[in-house]
Amino acid sequence: MKQIISLLSALVISAVSFVGIANSADSKKPIIIPTHNWSSQVVSAYVLGGIFESMGNTVKYVPADTQAVYESIRLGDVTISHEVWEGTFGHSFSTALEKGGILDWGDHEARTLEDLGYPNWVVEKGLCPGLPDWTALKNPDCAKNFVTPDSGGKGQILEGPQNWHGDLMPQRFEALELSDLWTVKFAGTAEALWAELVAAEKEGRGTIIFNWTPNFTDADGFTFIEWPPYTPGCRPADGGDGKCGSPDGYLKKAVNAEFPKTHPKAAAMFKQVSFTTAQIGAMAKLVDIGKMTHQDAAKKWLADNKNVWEPWTK
Ligand code: TMO
């Protein structure tokens, strides 16, 4: 009996110390961080990589598709996502979450909006009276000021790259009966959106582009169009009629479900990460206005914001 008890207690002790080890040491396997095609996401990828490295972890960066990445995280090919924007990626994220293998790792403090809008000089020059109310777009005298050489006589809407949210905008223009006056063109890159703002002002024509907040344009006099309000399910991808704008959205973090077990310290740090609107805007600005590389911008951000991120590592 005594022997059985000591055998049992030995088992209990080794089980406890096994858990203790699992709780204290991170795997040496790299944490795989995806990079996408807008500035704040890439800068904050290197920011987080730098924080993980400061804790002794190794990291690897992989360019990833903005929709397929949630499936990659679920399958363990990518470890984390640190900018899950509700307006563009909420559908893909929720689909992966339902299948299992990916965990919702909490929201950043920043709230988000991803939608069409215009630089304020568009309205100041009288190019489309009635904006930001979307019904101003029904006026042919507005649309004609947004024609470009390749827009087929219609007003041009410059949408972001198609892998951000597919045909959402063409569907919305169709649903709201705006397609006779407007045509949606997809930009190849985020940089093409910023170049369009400069080109339109130079050419003296109106411009409407896809944009988002937090972004470097927050401080620049950019206004989002006010659409019929978003309601859950209003989009065609969710079974709705498409007659709605984008949500007042979350900005989430997500992790592969094994990550808290393989890298408990890194996962605990990442759980605490919460960027503000101003912080994300500043990261984008270092690249899009400051013309720094993403890596240099991240180094600068880490050096300037130790008081923000060091507490997350404790
Ligand atoms: C996903 N984005 C921030 C570009 O809208």
Side-chain angles (χ1 to χ4, degrees):
M1 188 63 188
K2 232 180 174 177
Q3 272 175 333
I4 292 177
I5 288 172
S6 61
L7 182 66
L8 279 177
S9 56
L11 279 174
V12 168
I13 287 165
S14 54
V16 166
S17 59
F18 177 76
V19 170
I21 288 166
N23 271 336
S24 61
D26 280 5
S27 160
K28 291 289 163 229
K29 278 203 197 149
I31 298 165
I32 303 169
I33 304 174
T35 57
H36 297 311
N37 50 356
W38 65 96
S39 300
S40 71
Q41 195 276 343
V42 186
V43 175
S44 52
Y46 291 116
V47 161
L48 287 166
I51 301 174
F52 286 135
E53 283 173 346
S54 81
M55 299 171 65
N57 290 113
T58 51
V59 299
K60 210 173 115 186
Y61 303 96
V62 291
D65 179 81
T66 57
Q67 301 292 345
V69 70
Y70 303 104
E71 187 67 8
S72 303
I73 295 171
R74 215 174 66 71
L75 299 174
D77 298 332
V78 171
T79 315
I80 69 167
S81 172
H82 56 282
E83 280 196 17
V84 187
W85 293 66
E86 181 173 0
T88 38
F89 314 130
H91 185 87
S92 295
F93 172 65
S94 299
T95 302
L97 201 61
E98 265 170 40
K99 287 195 201 167
I102 183 171
L103 302 175
D104 180 337
W105 216 235
D107 293 18
H108 292 279
E109 180 182 320
R111 296 291 299 174
T112 61
L113 179 65
E114 305 168 83
D115 216 317
L116 301 175
Y118 53 87
N120 290 350
W121 55 258
V122 166
V123 161
E124 284 153 15
K125 286 187 179 171
L127 296 176
C128 189
L131 285 179
D133 187 318
W134 74 275
T135 57
L137 303 179
K138 290 177 163 182
N139 183 349
D141 289 335
C142 161
K144 75 170 173 18
N145 294 325
F146 295 74
V147 172
T148 70
D150 64 354
S151 67
K154 297 183 181 184
Q156 173 184 274
I157 302 292
L158 191 61
E159 164 65 307
Q162 202 159 5
N163 66 2
W164 285 350
H165 51 197
D167 286 330
L168 180 76
M169 293 305 172
Q171 287 167 344
R172 185 191 297 177
F173 275 66
E174 204 57 46
L176 293 173
E177 295 172 26
L178 294 169
S179 299
D180 289 348
L181 290 175
W182 299 89
T183 181
V184 178
K185 177 179 169 178
F186 290 93
T189 61
E191 290 68 34
L193 297 171
W194 321 140
E196 159 69 5
L197 297 182
V198 175
E201 192 166 21
K202 212 159 123 193
E203 293 163 24
R205 59 176 170 83
T207 182
I208 292 173
I209 65 165
F210 178 74
N211 193 1
W212 53 93
T213 178
N215 200 0
F216 73 92
T217 46
D218 289 345
D220 266 16
F222 186 93
T223 303
F224 289 94
I225 294 172
E226 291 165 10
W227 300 94
Y230 176 88
T231 52
C234 72
R235 291 177 165 183
D238 300 318
D241 64 13
K243 297 182 185 177
C244 59
S246 296
D248 161 21
Y250 60 64
L251 186 64
K252 269 191 192 302
K253 302 164 291 173
V255 297
N256 172 262
E258 298 302 310
F259 182 53
K261 298 171 202 155
T262 58
H263 299 75
K265 284 187 164 168
M269 186 288 288
F270 188 49
K271 186 113 198 199
Q272 296 195 66
V273 168
S274 173
F275 293 128
T276 64
T277 298
Q279 286 163 351
I280 293 170
M283 289 187 216
K285 192 171 176 183
L286 291 171
V287 172
D288 291 320
I289 304 285
K291 303 297 172 201
M292 293 178 87
T293 66
H294 298 105
Q295 286 93 332
D296 285 351
K299 276 188 202 139
K300 178 170 169 48
W301 195 90
L302 285 167
D304 293 348
N305 291 276
K306 282 204 166 77
N307 63 324
V308 173
W309 64 266
E310 280 184 350
W312 297 336
T313 67
K314 305 273 150 67

